[in-house]
Amino acid sequence: MGSLKMTEKAPGAALPESSCAYLLQELKMIWNEVGQDQNERERILEELEQECQEVYRKKVNSANMSRIQLHQALAESEAEFTNLLLSLGERSFPGRPEKMAGTLKEQLNSITPALQEMQMRKEARLKQFIEVQTEIQRIASEIAGRLENKAVTVNEEDLSLKKLEEFQSELQRLKREKSDRLCKVEEYKVLIHNFAKVMGMDPSKILANVHPRLLDGPNEQQTKNISDDILKRLNVTVEQLKEEKNNRREKLQNLVKALTNLWDTLDTAMEERQPYGQIKILAMTSINGMLGPGSLTLETIQQVESEVQRLNQLKASKMKELFLKKRAEVDEICKKSHMDMPYQTEMDKIMNLIMSGDVVHDDLLKTMDEYIYKAKEEATSRKDIMDKVEKWMASCDEERWLEEYSRDERRYSISRGAHKHLKRAERARIIVNKIPASASGNAERLHVDTQRKGRREIQATGE
């Protein structure tokens, strides 16, 4: 800036009225006219010069600050651009000028569009990361059985496509796992519905006991619990239902088999069998795994079980009647042949089995027929002796009758075994009691001799 103590310009030179030189010239003209002291003039001019310097200094400082800010903005823009390139995993950007030239403002204006483009890319990339990581967190929470709704944290220092692809790969893996788990859950639900339908159960209650979210409803598309714990509990439930189904099926088959045997044994009319015909068909069909709805309900099993119990009671009653009839026949044979009732202990056991329902109809008939046959056989073998006794008692004297009886008794004892002598002697005693008094003494002695002989032969045989 030039000094205010300048020489006046030529009068012919025109100065603009707004310029400092014109104002200074006018000021000097005023001082000349007034007669201002020279020292005062110099002081005033010095003050004016200082004030002008201060104004210029402020302007220079302001311009310098603007320059610094432009340098800083340019440096920050370049640094941000470089960071964006690094975070996005890109080495270069076609929109960025290769060489920075021109004024600071020109350089800043040249990099700003490229910087804005990179910022937009970052925002779009960041949005992709947030969406992918949010979905990963949601599916991972479902698989883990947790209900989380926290905002995800994205590492903005690495927003490269490589990192994004890693997250997308992880998301695809989780989606496949979720799909597999959902399919497994649906398979379990179908099995539970099928088991429940066959056994007359409410599948909704069964699923609710496992987890309420397993129930289908208006919020079916919401987050589901597909954790390992849920799958394990579903598997346990299915296994329990399967075991229950097999138990019921086996029980029903056994009941139907018992019912059929009872029908055949009791010769039940077709009218009485008809109400259980469909149940029988279901039970026989279930052997191949084909079961209709409601075929294994507790009501069905209880219905067949009640009928089996009723027919068992009827069977026991009829078998008891049959047993008593057969037993009476054995009694009659023994009475006619003057024999003791044989197989008394065995018959008591049979009666107990009949009352408990553990005896088979065919076995009972076979056993009792064997008893009757043996009783008849023994009665027939005794009949010869009894006929001879009666015959000799009617036509022979006492001595001859006793001699013949003793001979027959010995022959019978030899043929039947020594262990029968005591029983035969007891029967002989009963017969002797019917002989007239004049012969009773000799008959009694024969009876005693027979008993002694029987004991000796039993001791000799070691029985």
Side-chain angles (χ1 to χ4, degrees), residues 436-461:
S438 60
S440 60
N442 293 331
E444 183 65 26
R445 286 193 301 273
L446 177 61
H447 165 64
V448 172
D449 292 340
T450 303
Q451 283 185 327
R452 289 175 179 174
K453 182 179 180 182
R455 292 192 184 97
R456 287 195 301 271
E457 292 186 3
I458 290 173
Q459 292 174 357
T461 57

Side-chain angles (χ1 to χ4, degrees), residues 275-293:
Y276 302 91
Q278 187 63 29
I279 297 176
K280 180 179 178 181
I281 294 174
L282 289 174
M284 295 300 103
T285 305
S286 66
I287 296 176
N288 299 323
M290 299 172 59
L291 292 168

Side-chain angles (χ1 to χ4, degrees), residues 376-394:
K376 287 181 178 180
E377 185 181 40
E378 186 162 342
T380 301
S381 65
R382 294 294 297 167
K383 188 174 183 302
D384 294 339
I385 297 176
M386 297 302 297
D387 290 344
K388 289 183 179 181
V389 169
E390 292 177 359
K391 180 179 180 181
W392 283 103
M393 287 180 65

